Amino acid sequence: MKEWSKEIEIHAPIDIVWGLLDGSLEDMQKIMPQVVDHQPVKVTNEGVGSIYRQKYREGKRVEEYDVETLEFKNTPEQKKLKVGFTLAKMFEITALYELKAINEQKTLFKYTCTNKPLKAFLKLFLFLASDKIVVQFCERVKKVAEEEYKNSKVLIR
């Protein structure tokens, strides 16, 4: 199993960042444009145990898998969402999104991704993998959240 983690400061309130991670499909697509569908299969009151059927486009191919909520926390100062899924019967993946309010306009965002190959030949592939995708994802979340915050301030005026 391999794990990557990246932390980044975002100049936007915690609720704006959280809305991109735990909001509608439209909001989710702003930071994960390859996700083409996200439908609830089972939703629990506490969040943990909820399952969503997700479709992900990779080129011309669309993969479908169930995403299970493994951890969930939603307080004004801290938010956490950990999900897990199996991709193409080849990888068990977890994604952990942690948000901490620095102040009313700044959020600390930490993204941790684990990837466990389910087939022996994939171990070498994973060994050679870099954190490039994790870094790019954090930068995209930062860019989109800051843009959303800027646009929300313009609308208020």
Side-chain angles (χ1 to χ4, degrees):
M1 182 168 71
K2 192 152 183 180
E3 180 177 292
W4 300 269
S5 192
K6 173 79 173 144
E7 204 171 80
I8 194 165
E9 191 174 293
I10 299 175
H11 297 277
I14 193 168
D15 287 328
I16 287 181
V17 183
W18 183 244
L20 297 171
L21 300 166
D22 192 47
S24 67
L25 173 63
E26 182 181 273
D27 286 335
M28 188 183 295
Q29 287 175 324
K30 293 174 185 175
I31 57 170
M32 299 180 234
Q34 301 92 337
V35 174
V36 294
D37 198 19
H38 184 77
Q39 297 296 322
V41 173
K42 172 183 151 190
V43 178
T44 65
N45 289 337
E46 58 279 349
V48 174
S50 293
I51 297 172
Y52 293 84
R53 177 125 329 120
Q54 204 168 78
K55 291 182 182 176
Y56 181 91
R57 183 181 315 280
E58 188 65 48
K60 292 182 180 177
R61 200 175 72 223
V62 175
E63 288 287 335
E64 183 176 284
Y65 46 87
D66 288 346
V67 177
E68 182 176 0
T69 303
L70 305 172
E71 291 180 41
F72 186 85
K73 180 179 185 178
N74 185 357
T75 68
E77 300 297 315
Q78 285 190 311
K79 300 180 187 301
K80 181 190 279 192
L81 175 64
K82 182 176 184 179
V83 296
F85 57 95
T86 300
L87 186 60
K89 297 180 185 164
M90 297 173 80
F91 297 100
E92 279 182 10
I93 298 171
T94 66
L96 172 61
Y97 312 101
E98 297 174 277
L99 305 175
K100 186 176 180 184
I102 297 169
N103 60 38
E104 289 182 11
Q105 289 109 22
K106 284 186 187 174
T107 303
L108 186 64
F109 172 56
K110 183 176 180 184
Y111 174 54
T112 304
C113 180
T114 64
N115 198 323
K116 178 181 171 190
L118 299 177
K119 306 208 184 298
F121 73 92
L122 295 170
K123 288 181 181 176
L124 178 62
F125 167 77
L126 205 55
F127 177 75
L128 299 171
S130 76
D131 68 347
K132 179 182 173 186
I133 290 174
V134 171
V135 170
Q136 287 175 338
F137 177 73
C138 286
E139 289 171 355
R140 185 167 46 248
V141 171
K142 176 179 172 69
K143 180 181 177 220
V144 171
E146 289 177 352
E147 200 170 283
E148 296 268 313
Y149 181 47
K150 184 178 134 192
N151 290 340
S152 73
K153 290 195 309 188
V154 169
L155 292 174
I156 293 170
R157 291 182 187 170

